[in-house]
């Protein structure tokens, strides 16, 4: 079994001051990477700022003989985070978009600020940091990016309309960048982890938080960032040592004659067949998704 190493690679981790981010930072450093530990030091709602959390992780890495620097900028100023990596180490090879906040409220009580804050950290923040890193990765013909989605985005979760929306948005972001990055040896994947963190502590019992160690998530992230990795555009769900890859599944559907009138009553009559998963397909591209549409259009005329 060949060891996965990151010697001479530069790894940028947002939200690197605790939980999953800290676990990633320590593991990449142990495998030879130069690490940029980015953490604004805000609370779980995105308020406040402190340099302590990032500094403590950097100190841990240096104590074990590794190399790291701290970054205290918000992901909304993603260019500053990447500029720090370039200034210190001359390149950026791996980016893990991990920073996050929560503003959990029922949709009725959710304010514009609750929506905007979650959007700006998770989705806009990932855009800003990735956009800043993208040019460097293209120029060096190499990059590994992992975005952090969530089960809430995949399945929905009460009180998390804001969080669910941006987390599923990151899946679409991932899939498109995987297509655009393929020619430049840039792979982009998303994970939907459950791990003991300060975000999970707000909704789960202490015993569960302690059992869902961040270290159970880290190995898959390391594998997705390996030099030999060719997986791209994929979504993985994982927790407590269990890992799985997700894909879209849809029913075979019903083909109505596009040359004739299609009524709501006809749709109602075909409802059971339209919604039945007895026969399915698994489109992975826009082209594959369009196959039955094109086939149905061929019936016209």
């Amino acid at each position: 079994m060949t060891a996965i190493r990151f010697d001479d690679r530069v790894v940028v981790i947002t939200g690197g001051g605790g939980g999953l981010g800290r676990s990633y930072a320590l593991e990449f450093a142990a495998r030879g990477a130069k690490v940029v530990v980015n953490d604004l030091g805000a609370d779980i709602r995105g308020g406040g700022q402190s340099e302590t959390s990032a500094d403590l992780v950097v100190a841990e890495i240096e104590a074990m003989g590794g190399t790291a620097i701290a970054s205290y900028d918000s992901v909304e100023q993603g260019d500053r985070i990447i500029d720090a990596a370039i200034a210190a180490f001359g390149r950026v090879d791996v980016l893990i978009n991990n920073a996050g906040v929560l503003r959990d409220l029922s949709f009725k009580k959710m304010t514009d600020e609750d929506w905007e804050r979650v959007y700006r950290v998770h989705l806009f923040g990932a855009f800003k940091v990735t956009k800043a890193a993208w040019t460097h990765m293209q120029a060096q013909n190499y990059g590994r990016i992992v975005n952090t989605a969530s089960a809430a985005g995949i399945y929905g979760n009460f009180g998390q309309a804001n969080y669910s929306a941006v987390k599923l948005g990151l899946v679409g972001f991932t899939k498109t960048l995987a297509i655009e990055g393929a020619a430049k040896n840039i792979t982009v994947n998303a994970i939907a982890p459950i791990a003991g963190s300060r975000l999970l502590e707000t909704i789960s019992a202490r015993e569960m938080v302690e059992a869902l160690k961040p270290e159970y998530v880290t190995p898959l992230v390391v594998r997705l960032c390996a030099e030999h990795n060719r997986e791209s555009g994929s979504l993985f769900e994982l927790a407590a040592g269990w890992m799985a890859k997700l894909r879209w599944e849809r029913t075979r559907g019903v083909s109505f004659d596009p040359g004739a009138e299609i009524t709501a009553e006809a749709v109602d009559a075909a409802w059971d067949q339209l919604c039945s998963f007895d026969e399915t397909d698994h489109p992975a591209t826009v082209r594959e998704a369009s196959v039955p549409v094109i086939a149905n259009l061929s019936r016209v005329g």
Side-chain angles (χ1 to χ4, degrees):
M1 186 180 300
T2 303
I4 297 175
R5 297 287 302 174
F6 293 89
D7 302 293
D8 300 320
R9 296 296 186 189
V10 178
V11 178
V12 176
I13 301 166
T14 68
L20 284 168
R22 172 181 172 273
S23 178
Y24 300 154
L26 295 176
E27 185 65 18
F28 277 104
R31 293 173 179 270
K34 299 177 178 68
V35 181
V36 178
V37 181
N38 166 255
D39 204 296
L40 182 64
D43 60 32
I44 62 170
R45 290 177 55 82
Q49 185 171 354
S50 171
E51 299 180 358
T52 303
S53 55
D55 284 344
L56 287 173
V57 176
V58 170
E60 286 186 85
I61 290 172
E62 291 177 341
M64 59 189 248
T67 302
I69 63 166
S71 160
Y72 318 113
D73 290 302
S74 166
V75 290
E76 295 179 57
Q77 286 81 46
D79 54 326
R80 297 181 187 176
I81 300 170
I82 299 304
D83 285 348
I86 299 301
F89 304 124
R91 59 186 294 122
V92 55
D93 299 289
V94 174
L95 169 61
I96 302 174
N97 286 310
N98 173 70
V101 298
L102 287 177
R103 291 287 184 94
D104 289 0
L105 289 164
S106 67
F107 191 59
K108 180 180 179 180
K109 297 178 180 179
M110 190 170 292
T111 66
D112 289 359
E113 182 185 357
D114 294 324
W115 180 277
E116 182 72 11
R117 188 65 186 137
V118 170
Y119 156 72
R120 293 194 70 82
V121 173
H122 289 274
L123 191 53
F124 180 70
F127 159 74
K128 289 292 287 183
V129 183
T130 306
K131 187 68 161 58
W134 195 255
T135 301
H136 297 287
M137 290 181 172
Q138 285 190 316
Q140 67 199 20
N141 206 49
Y142 185 88
R144 301 289 182 264
I145 300 171
V146 175
N147 295 316
T148 308
S150 169
I154 302 168
Y155 307 111
N157 197 36
F158 185 90
Q160 292 191 310
N162 47 6
Y163 186 74
S164 298
V166 297
K167 286 303 192 183
L168 192 57
L170 282 167
V171 176
F173 180 66
T174 295
K175 289 184 175 294
T176 293
L177 291 191
I179 295 169
E180 295 189 17
K184 292 293 186 177
N185 191 24
I186 302 171
T187 67
V188 190
N189 291 285
I191 60 168
I194 302 176
S197 68
R198 62 178 186 167
L199 299 189
L200 188 67
E201 286 172 359
T202 65
I203 57 174
S204 300
R206 178 175 295 276
E207 292 78 9
M208 178 175 287
V209 173
E210 292 175 349
L212 294 169
K213 297 179 181 179
E215 288 75 17
Y216 292 145
V217 174
T218 301
L220 177 65
V221 173
V222 170
R223 168 56 181 79
L224 289 173
C225 296
E227 186 169 344
H228 68 269
N229 176 64
R230 295 296 177 266
E231 189 77 32
S232 196
S234 299
L235 170 62
F236 297 86
E237 193 173 4
L238 66 163
W242 171 83
M243 306 175 186
K245 181 178 176 179
L246 280 72
R247 65 180 180 182
W248 296 121
E249 180 179 53
R250 68 180 181 189
T251 70
R252 287 292 183 181
V254 176
S255 294
F256 297 97
D257 184 353
E261 181 183 9
I262 303 173
T263 67
E265 289 75 16
V267 174
D268 186 51
W271 194 253
D272 287 346
Q273 181 183 351
L274 189 153
C275 295
S276 173
F277 281 89
D278 290 342
E279 293 185 56
T280 63
D281 62 12
H282 303 89
T285 66
V286 171
R287 183 183 181 88
E288 290 177 9
S290 302
V291 168
V293 177
I294 301 302
N296 205 43
L297 286 173
S298 69
R299 298 168 58 185
V300 178

